[in-house]
């Protein structure tokens, strides 16, 4: 899924945003999914449904989502898809890990292999997918993979913005 979208640079050189302002330190966690166990095809929305069924959007305000196939998938034949969550609050990583670790949904890797820590968006070829605003809405671009229907039946509200 991530192969078809262009990666947009969020920060310029020397840790500065394109505006020239210093970039705030962000913490990140990546959640790995087995593409085949998600059923192949349109696996991205299926992976997001797992997150939307598990995580409280109120706890993820000011977080951004990034997604795509991993380097291991692109260059080594693995079949892994990653959704990374970037947050200005370090405790968000612990929250995501705790709740997603408890899930047994098809497509999730075993808990010991399920997470990527550190600068996930720097190491993996992920693209920006959306941003959780102060109203706890996931704001996405029109015609992107995350459609409002993906969040139906959950506490999440996906809006086009």
């Amino acid at each position: 899924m991530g192969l078809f979208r262009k990666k947009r640079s969020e920060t310029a050189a020397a840790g500065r945003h394109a505006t020239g302002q210093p970039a705030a330190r962000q913490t990140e966690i990546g959640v790995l999914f087995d593409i085949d166990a998600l059923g192949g095809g349109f696996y991205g929305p299926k992976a997001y449904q797992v997150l939307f069924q598990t995580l409280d959007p109120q706890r993820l305000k000011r977080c951004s989502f990034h997604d795509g196939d991993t380097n291991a998938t692109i260059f080594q034949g693995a079949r892994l898809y990653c959704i990374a969550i970037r947050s200005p609050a370090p405790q968000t990583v612990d929250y995501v890990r705790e709740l997603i670790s408890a899930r047994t949904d098809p497509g999730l890797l075993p808990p010991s292999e399920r997470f990527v820590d550190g600068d996930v968006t720097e190491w993996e070829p992920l693209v920006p997918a959306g941003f959780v605003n102060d109203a706890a809405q996931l704001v996405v671009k029109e015609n992107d993979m995350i459609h409002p229907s993906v969040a139906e039946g959950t506490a999440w509200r996906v809006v086009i913005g």
Side-chain angles (χ1 to χ4, degrees):
M1 290 274 177
L3 292 174
F4 301 106
R5 291 183 281 161
K6 248 187 179 171
K7 186 169 185 174
R8 295 172 284 218
S9 175
E10 290 183 39
T11 58
R16 296 189 173 273
H17 284 282
T19 62
Q21 298 297 317
R25 178 73 184 128
Q26 299 280 310
T27 58
E28 301 179 358
I29 185 168
V31 181
L32 294 174
F33 295 86
D34 179 313
I35 292 170
D36 296 321
L38 287 171
F42 293 106
Y43 50 87
K46 294 174 189 173
Y48 272 100
Q49 286 175 335
V50 172
L51 297 185
F52 292 160
Q53 291 167 1
T54 309
L55 302 173
D56 179 357
Q58 294 292 331
R59 300 276 306 262
L60 297 176
K61 290 178 183 177
R62 293 186 297 271
C63 290
S64 60
F65 284 73
H66 306 257
D67 62 49
D69 296 339
T70 64
N71 280 315
T73 300
I74 296 168
F75 300 112
Q76 299 169 352
R79 302 276 293 154
L80 299 175
Y81 176 72
C82 182
I83 299 175
I85 300 172
R86 291 182 89 191
S87 173
Q91 64 271 23
T92 301
V93 168
D94 297 331
Y95 167 72
V96 171
R97 183 184 312 281
E98 180 182 341
L99 269 65
I100 298 297
S101 289
R103 297 295 297 220
T104 59
D105 300 77
L108 281 169
L109 293 185
S112 63
E113 303 169 22
R114 187 172 294 174
F115 301 101
V116 180
D117 293 306
D119 296 328
V120 184
T121 58
E122 294 298 318
W123 300 330
E124 297 292 347
L126 308 180
V127 295
F131 178 80
V132 183
N133 65 18
D134 287 331
Q137 301 169 324
L138 180 60
V139 180
V140 299
K141 299 289 183 198
E142 189 171 11
N143 299 320
D144 255 357
M145 177 182 27
I146 308 172
H147 189 270
S149 65
V150 174
E152 286 179 3
T154 73
W156 286 82
R157 181 159 180 243
V158 177
V159 297
I160 309 297

